[in-house]
Amino acid sequence: MGGEIDVYTLTVIKADTGGFVGHCTVHPASVRVAEEKLSKAKAEGLLIDFCVGKVGDDIALIMTHNGRTDEKQIHALAWETFQATTQVAKELKLYGAGQDLLKDAFSGNIRGMGPGIAEMSFEERASEPLIVFLADKTEPGAWNWPLYKMFADPFNTPGLVIDPKMHDGFTFEVLDLIEHKTARFNTPEEIYDLLLFIGAPGRYAVRYVYKKGESEPVAATSTQRLNLMAGRYVGKDDPVMIVRCQSGLPAVGEALEPFGQPHIVAGWMRGSHHGPLMPVAFDQDTPSRFDGPPRVVAYGFQLCHGRLVGPRDMFDDPSFDTARKQAVEIADYLRRLGPFEPHRLPLDEMEYTTMPQVMERVKDRFMPVEEDEAPENVRPLRSGKR
Ligand code: F6R
Ligand code: MG
Ligand code: MG
């Protein structure tokens, strides 16, 4: 792989291995250790290049290499790196040290072991701009709405109308997170079918987007659901997403544009609340108010023979100030509801939090109600009775 036809794999693997303070951010010592590990792997030739990214309490290892997707050595490197950052977290008694590492030993592929992963192999174009989005305090389905806007909504992406290279549309691959099945939908002709599913982001998540008829993805997301994997409440999945841009794909500005209108996602405090997804610059990626609100950062790169030229902080732009302000207004409004839905997630989604344990304790208080037990004065009238 690699060499003359410039095919590379971009792998982004993220995990929360310990928060500073609480679930707010990653300690600089953890970032340093991750950088040391990946520098060594680069010096040894395993990686072409890397960038250690972060959002909130999650570290994201952004790596390019000549291997395939699901390359054992790359996944093992990520696992070892997270072991090392967990060690730092333990030494500093950071919060939730090793939180997302659900298994004791590496088993050949990091999928199913806790960390989230988005990766894709593709032939690097003459110029290859791409954006790695990282979100904290939310779930993989949070990308559904922006991906739809980028690749299927001409009100967001005028290229769909006016660029002959985009006019045919894109194919979305949707994953059913509960039944583990995938389905593909072509846009624009099947947008109504697509929206049936991706409008329910707790259950269905867009996993890949393709140019119609092509096999290389143009966007990929992490779709791991931490709590479903763990079988207990661990935290939200805090997903990542890769979007390739320009020349027949959404322009960089079209890929960023959906985040100019903050949409409401599931996550936030205790992974149990709806809140706005706030686009922020790197120096504002630290959720604090009510452990949030959920936020997203955008790492922009130009790929150059597999080298990651960047990152550029794509949301460090005053034109996103209004979105940030609007996100705060939405947060203020939703917070007024306190423990009531729709601020608190609906009951079926609360199943994956700690709430069922509390419900279990008081469930015996509920007694069956039978019609005949109702007080005399509210007993319903029935012909022949009374
Ligand atoms: C959200 C998140 C936090 C915690 C909250 C309680 O994904 O991780 O909001 O759920 O801080 O944490 P514990 O239960 O560890 O005290
Ligand atoms: Mg956390
Ligand atoms: Mg997190």
Side-chain angles (χ1 to χ4, degrees):
M1 287 259 244
E4 284 174 13
I5 54 158
D6 268 2
V7 173
Y8 302 105
T9 299
L10 171 61
T11 301
V12 183
I13 305 184
K14 74 99 231 172
D16 174 350
T17 58
F20 166 64
V21 171
H23 290 276
C24 187
T25 189
V26 177
H27 193 280
S30 302
V31 175
R32 270 198 305 277
V33 162
E35 282 173 342
E36 280 163 21
K37 284 271 175 201
L38 299 196
S39 288
K40 189 162 167 280
K42 184 175 167 182
E44 289 167 353
L46 179 58
L47 296 182
I48 301 171
D49 206 357
F50 72 89
C51 167
V52 175
K54 68 167 285 292
V55 61
D57 54 7
D58 295 285
I59 302 180
L61 311 176
I62 303 168
M63 303 174 283
T64 52
H65 54 94
N66 283 318
R68 294 159 300 135
T69 53
D70 284 324
E71 189 72 45
K72 188 174 173 184
Q73 279 179 292
I74 301 296
H75 286 213
L77 170 66
W79 184 256
E80 283 157 23
T81 303
F82 291 138
Q83 297 285 342
T85 57
T86 297
Q87 199 46 43
V88 173
K90 284 185 176 159
E91 279 159 22
L92 296 176
K93 288 183 68 178
L94 300 179
Y95 196 68
Q99 178 193 282
D100 288 2
L101 309 187
L102 304 179
K103 302 277 161 73
D104 295 329
F106 182 67
S107 61
N109 189 309
I110 210 159
R111 289 175 202 275
M113 301 188 71
I117 171 165
E119 62 179 349
M120 52 162 94
S121 292
F122 54 91
E123 190 174 336
E124 185 180 295
R125 296 168 295 166
S127 180
E128 186 67 61
L130 57 90
I131 305 173
V132 177
F133 293 92
L134 311 175
D136 190 36
K137 307 289 182 268
T138 187
E139 62 184 15
W143 301 129
N144 289 1
W145 187 82
L147 279 173
Y148 178 81
K149 303 283 285 181
M150 286 175 212
F151 288 96
D153 179 5
F155 284 73
N156 179 90
T157 300
L160 294 166
V161 178
I162 63 183
D163 180 350
K165 296 203 289 293
M166 295 181 80
H167 200 82
D168 284 347
F170 293 88
T171 301
F172 286 64
E173 184 175 300
V174 178
L175 176 68
D176 178 337
L177 295 160
I178 304 293
E179 298 217 340
H180 289 280
K181 293 177 180 165
T182 58
R184 290 190 179 195
F185 297 93
N186 288 326
T187 60
E189 62 273 32
E190 295 180 316
I191 57 170
Y192 298 159
D193 294 326
L194 172 69
L195 288 167
L196 267 180
F197 297 99
I198 67 170
R203 168 89 189 244
Y204 298 96
V206 178
R207 189 155 75 148
Y208 293 108
V209 181
Y210 299 90
K211 268 195 108 144
K212 253 187 210 154
E214 293 188 9
S215 58
E216 285 181 349
V218 293
T221 69
S222 63
T223 48
Q224 287 72 31
R225 294 282 315 258
L226 203 51
N227 299 319
L228 298 182
M229 276 190 260
R232 64 188 152 84
Y233 181 64
V234 179
K236 269 291 177 212
D237 325 289
D238 303 338
V240 298
M241 169 168 76
I242 304 166
V243 179
R244 297 168 65 199
C245 301
Q246 306 285 157
S247 329
L249 302 178
V252 165
E254 289 167 336
L256 297 172
E257 179 62 8
F259 300 96
Q261 301 162 41
H263 66 301
I264 292 181
V265 297
W268 205 350
M269 172 59 78
R270 297 178 185 276
S272 310
H273 293 82
H274 282 123
L277 186 63
M278 183 157 73
V280 290
F282 294 168
D283 63 357
Q284 294 176 330
D285 79 342
T286 49
S288 49
R289 180 184 174 189
F290 199 58
D291 284 0
R295 57 200 68 198
V296 53
V297 292
Y299 282 66
F301 298 98
Q302 289 285 153
L303 213 59
C304 177
H305 305 297
R307 199 156 59 85
L308 289 160
V309 180
R312 175 144 213 295
D313 182 353
M314 306 308 287
F315 289 138
D316 184 12
D317 173 351
S319 63
F320 284 100
D321 284 351
T322 309
R324 292 188 262 270
K325 189 165 171 286
Q326 203 176 40
V328 175
E329 282 162 5
I330 296 168
D332 283 340
Y333 174 76
L334 286 170
R335 284 299 305 123
R336 273 183 238 158
L337 298 176
F340 283 77
E341 297 176 9
H343 183 26
R344 197 180 77 185
L345 299 189
L347 274 185
D348 57 338
E349 292 192 39
M350 295 299 287
E351 272 178 42
Y352 307 112
T353 70
T354 45
M355 197 173 85
Q357 296 165 31
V358 183
M359 286 178 110
E360 185 66 24
R361 282 178 18 202
V362 288
K363 76 172 194 309
D364 293 342
R365 305 237 185 126
F366 285 89
M367 296 295 161
V369 179
E370 282 171 25
E371 216 174 64
D372 287 346
E373 282 180 2
E376 192 66 26
N377 57 347
V378 294
R379 184 174 291 166
L381 279 177
R382 255 199 231 149
S383 57
K385 275 198 161 185
R386 272 195 185 249

